[in-house]
């Protein structure tokens, strides 16, 4: 087993005395080890750069470049490469320099090849383990690079790894390019009003996300290149990297799902024909406005309106004409109200206009203005359409239901008075406009 381990490693042997160098070469070759020979430190350094051996064995005193200088250079290039020093000198100064350089073993000359063999075998265990670890890391990185999710490791401030798919999204050629252009992932994050990370550094929240495995965190990112790039939405997962003060961040792209979610949300709140709010959204907005009235004492009025004899339009001209009438009514109403008013299709041919900051008198005037603009408009095919209106103002004693009911009662009164008029509910009595 030891011989197999020995045969799998490469050795750089640097010795200026030919007899010793050739003797050790024969000793190594009999054990099937791969050995590179150099006669001085300069040659050894060049061979190290070319072959990247697993272990370096070197004399100290040599021409051109001594062993300690070469060892120091090698440690600068590859700090983990084991170095064994051989010397015939018992000089404390050399020993201290060797320790300072970071050599792993010191052997006195004349070298006992069997003792050197034991040292190399011991060092080869760590070399073998290191190779296995490098292979595992290489395989793991390949797997991570092939992962469609965006992956990055960070200590909370600096990124130590970013996989290929993430680099491609960020439009970076590598980690070094990322560090130059971004410095931190924070620069790729897009702050939203409800973002958990808005206005915070990653180091401030990453440990919280790593410890909380139950909550899904949504992150919006955009490459820091130009305003033309679209924002993308991701589900963020964070895990502690075992044995390191680092975190693995995984970003799963849910942009299309988020877009579909937003679309479904819009569709669930929008009337499909007129593209204005539907009844459900109307009551959502009404609840918010009533809460604002109760908190700040503001005024709030409601106009309920209904197209007169609309069934006749459908029966005589067909439902396609009826649909076009509803679409045109929507445009006429939209033009006659403020941008802050809330327009909804309440149902069928009935519409509702919620008017924040408006009292009953103001709403009544707008209702009558709408009635006139609709009655004077020439609709395609059916020509004439009129509407009836009911107006009510929210009172301190009202609930949402009682408020809507007052406007409904006023609308019913307008219909009972011959239609094409507006009625205002005022403490049980009505004010009429024709």
């Amino acid at each position: 087993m030891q011989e197999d381990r020995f045969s799998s490693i490469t050795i750089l042997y640097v010795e200026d005395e030919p007899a010793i160098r050739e003797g050790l070469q024969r000793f190594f070759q009999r054990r099937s080890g791969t050995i590179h020979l150099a006669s001085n430190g300069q040659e050894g350094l060049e061979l190290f750069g070319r072959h990247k051996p697993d272990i370096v064995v070197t004399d100290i005193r040599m021409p051109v470049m001594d062993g300690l200088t070469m060892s120091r250079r090698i440690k600068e290039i590859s700090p983990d490469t084991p170095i064994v020093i051989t010397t015939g000198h018992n000089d404390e100064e050399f020993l201290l320099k060797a320790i300072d350089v970071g050599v792993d073993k010191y052997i006195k000359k004349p070298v006992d090849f069997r003792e050197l063999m034991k040292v190399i075998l011991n060092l080869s265990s760590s070399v073998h383990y290191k190779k296995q670890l490098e292979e595992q890391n290489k395989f793991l990185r390949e797997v991570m690079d092939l992962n469609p999710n965006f992956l990055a490791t960070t200590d909370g401030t600096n990124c130590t790894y970013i996989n290929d798919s993430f680099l491609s999204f960020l439009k970076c050629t590598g980690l070094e390019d990322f560090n130059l252009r971004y410095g931190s992932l924070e620069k790729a994050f897009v702050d939203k009003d409800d973002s958990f990370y808005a206005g915070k550094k990653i180091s401030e929240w990453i440990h919280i996300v790593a410890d909380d495995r139950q909550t899904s965190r949504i992150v919006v990112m955009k490459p820091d290149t130009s305003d033309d790039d679209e924002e993308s939405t991701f589900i963020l997962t964070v895990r502690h990297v075992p044995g390191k003060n680092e975190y693995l961040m995984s970003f799963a792209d849910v942009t299309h799902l988020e877009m579909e979610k937003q679309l479904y949300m819009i569709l669930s709140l929008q009337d499909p024909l007129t593209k204005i709010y539907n009844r459900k959204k109307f009551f959502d907005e009404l609840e918010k406005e009533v809460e604002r009235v109760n908190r700040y004492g503001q005024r709030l009025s409601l106009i309920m309106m209904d197209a007169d004899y609309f069934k006749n339009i459908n029966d005589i001209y067909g439902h396609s004409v009826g649909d076009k009438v509803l679409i045109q009514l929507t445009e006429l109403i939209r033009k006659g109200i403020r941008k802050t008013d809330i327009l909804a299709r309440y149902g069928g041919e009935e519409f509702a206009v919620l008017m924040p900051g408006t009292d009953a008198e103001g709403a009544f005037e707008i209702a009558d203005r709408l009635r006139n603009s609709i009655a004077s408009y020439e609709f395609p095919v059916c020509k004439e359409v009129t509407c009836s209106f009911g107006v009510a103002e929210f009172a301190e004693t009202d609930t949402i239901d009682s408020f809507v009911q007052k406007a409904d009662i006023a609308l019913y009164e307008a219909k009972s008075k011959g239609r094409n008029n507006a009625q205002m509910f005022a403490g049980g009595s009505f004010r009429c406009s024709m």
Side-chain angles (χ1 to χ4, degrees):
M1 182 68 180
Q2 287 185 337
E3 295 293 333
D4 290 342
R5 194 193 310 152
F6 180 77
S7 65
S8 67
I9 64 173
T10 58
I11 296 169
L12 170 62
Y13 182 47
V14 187
E15 170 61 59
D16 63 324
E17 295 185 28
I20 300 175
R21 189 168 64 243
E22 291 165 7
L24 193 57
Q25 179 185 17
R26 288 193 296 272
F27 183 82
F28 283 152
Q29 287 177 338
R30 285 200 298 270
R31 286 155 181 78
S32 301
T34 302
I35 184 169
H36 303 284
L37 300 176
S39 60
N40 60 63
Q42 185 62 47
E43 287 182 14
L45 192 60
E46 291 172 1
L47 285 173
F48 182 85
R50 258 197 321 266
H51 300 289
K52 298 294 187 296
D54 299 312
I55 297 172
V56 176
V57 180
T58 181
D59 191 13
I60 288 182
R61 291 186 180 275
M62 293 182 294
V64 185
M65 180 186 290
D66 63 74
L68 286 180
T69 302
M70 180 197 73
S71 297
R72 183 176 288 106
R73 298 272 187 86
I74 288 173
K75 284 292 186 179
E76 289 172 357
I77 298 168
S78 177
D80 295 332
T81 299
I83 298 178
V84 180
I85 291 288
T86 66
T87 182
H89 301 275
N90 189 15
D91 190 331
E92 184 178 345
E93 183 183 349
F94 279 113
L95 291 174
L96 292 174
K97 286 181 178 179
I99 293 170
D100 182 57
V101 167
V103 298
D104 297 83
K105 196 70 179 176
Y106 185 95
I107 294 179
K108 288 280 292 175
K109 285 185 174 181
V111 176
D112 184 333
F113 289 168
R114 285 182 174 78
E115 181 187 352
L116 180 57
M117 180 72 169
K118 287 179 182 179
V119 170
I120 290 173
L121 283 172
N122 287 335
L123 292 174
S124 70
S125 297
S126 62
V127 169
H128 185 66
Y129 175 74
K130 179 187 171 186
K131 283 186 174 182
Q132 283 186 321
L133 193 61
E134 286 175 350
E135 286 299 317
Q136 290 173 358
N137 288 339
K138 182 180 176 183
F139 175 72
L140 181 60
R141 283 180 180 257
E142 287 177 355
V143 171
M144 292 171 73
D145 282 337
L146 290 171
N147 196 316
N149 284 359
F150 296 168
L151 302 175
T153 56
T154 178
D155 59 6
T157 303
N158 301 311
C159 283
T160 54
Y161 167 78
I162 300 176
N163 72 342
D164 285 350
S165 54
F166 201 178
L167 287 170
S168 177
F169 170 80
L170 296 169
K171 300 184 179 178
C172 293
T173 57
L175 186 60
E176 185 177 351
D177 185 31
F178 166 81
N179 287 328
L180 286 172
R181 294 170 58 186
Y182 288 81
S184 171
L185 280 176
E186 291 154 10
K187 202 168 181 180
F189 288 4
V190 179
D191 282 2
K192 300 292 183 180
D193 291 339
D194 57 347
S195 299
F196 72 92
Y197 55 84
K200 299 177 183 175
K201 293 184 179 296
I202 293 175
S203 57
E204 294 178 44
W205 53 258
I206 193 167
H207 62 284
I208 298 172
V209 178
D211 292 338
D212 183 6
R213 298 196 172 206
Q214 302 300 318
T215 307
S216 295
R217 310 280 179 164
I218 299 296
V219 173
V220 179
M221 290 193 292
K222 177 181 176 182
D224 183 43
T225 51
S226 71
D227 294 334
D228 296 334
D229 292 309
E230 294 182 359
E231 297 175 0
S232 298
T233 305
F234 303 85
I235 292 178
L236 170 65
T237 304
V238 180
R239 295 290 182 267
H240 292 278
V241 177
K244 291 187 176 182
N245 188 27
E246 289 186 354
Y247 302 89
L248 173 64
M249 307 174 75
S250 173
F251 301 85
D253 192 347
V254 292
T255 304
H256 294 300
L257 294 176
E258 187 68 17
M259 289 172 65
E260 288 179 8
K261 176 184 172 185
Q262 295 295 331
L263 177 61
Y264 288 137
M265 186 177 293
I266 290 170
L267 292 176
S268 71
L269 303 175
Q270 186 183 77
D271 174 55
L273 176 65
T274 61
K275 309 305 179 188
I276 59 176
Y277 288 154
N278 59 17
R279 186 186 183 111
K280 178 185 181 305
K281 180 60 174 174
F282 166 76
F283 277 102
D284 289 344
E285 294 299 313
L286 176 56
E287 187 174 344
K288 293 177 187 176
E289 292 302 328
V290 167
E291 183 180 344
R292 190 175 288 112
V293 167
N294 290 331
R295 180 177 296 180
Y296 303 109
Q298 296 178 348
R299 294 291 186 89
L300 178 65
S301 293
L302 173 63
I303 300 174
M304 300 291 290
M305 58 176 290
D306 190 86
D308 298 329
Y309 304 111
F310 189 74
K311 184 177 182 302
N312 291 345
I313 295 174
N314 282 332
D315 290 345
I316 295 171
Y317 302 106
H319 286 277
S320 62
V321 172
D323 287 348
K324 290 176 182 177
V325 167
L326 292 175
I327 293 170
Q328 188 59 55
L329 277 175
T330 301
E331 289 304 308
L332 290 171
I333 298 167
R334 201 196 301 272
K335 289 177 181 177
I337 62 176
R338 304 168 302 178
K339 289 183 178 180
T340 54
D341 296 332
I342 299 163
L343 172 62
R345 186 180 178 190
Y346 196 74
E349 65 275 15
E350 193 170 358
F351 295 84
V353 181
L354 196 59
M355 308 189 74
T358 306
D359 61 14
E361 291 289 340
F364 185 74
E365 289 179 13
I366 292 173
D368 193 47
R369 213 159 45 231
L370 288 173
R371 183 190 65 79
N372 277 320
S373 67
I374 293 168
S376 60
Y377 183 80
E378 185 175 334
F379 288 80
V381 184
C382 63
K383 304 301 180 186
E384 185 180 342
V385 177
T386 63
C387 290
S388 301
F389 296 79
V391 179
E393 183 179 353
F394 189 86
E396 288 184 6
T397 56
D398 274 331
T399 63
I400 288 175
D401 290 338
S402 66
F403 179 40
V404 174
Q405 188 178 27
K406 288 194 305 186
D408 264 334
I409 291 171
L411 175 59
Y412 180 79
E413 183 71 13
K415 285 180 174 293
S416 67
K417 292 285 179 67
R419 294 178 169 80
N420 190 25
N421 70 92
Q423 294 283 335
M424 181 175 69
F425 187 93
S429 62
F430 297 94
R431 175 182 168 188
C432 178
S433 174
M434 296 293 291

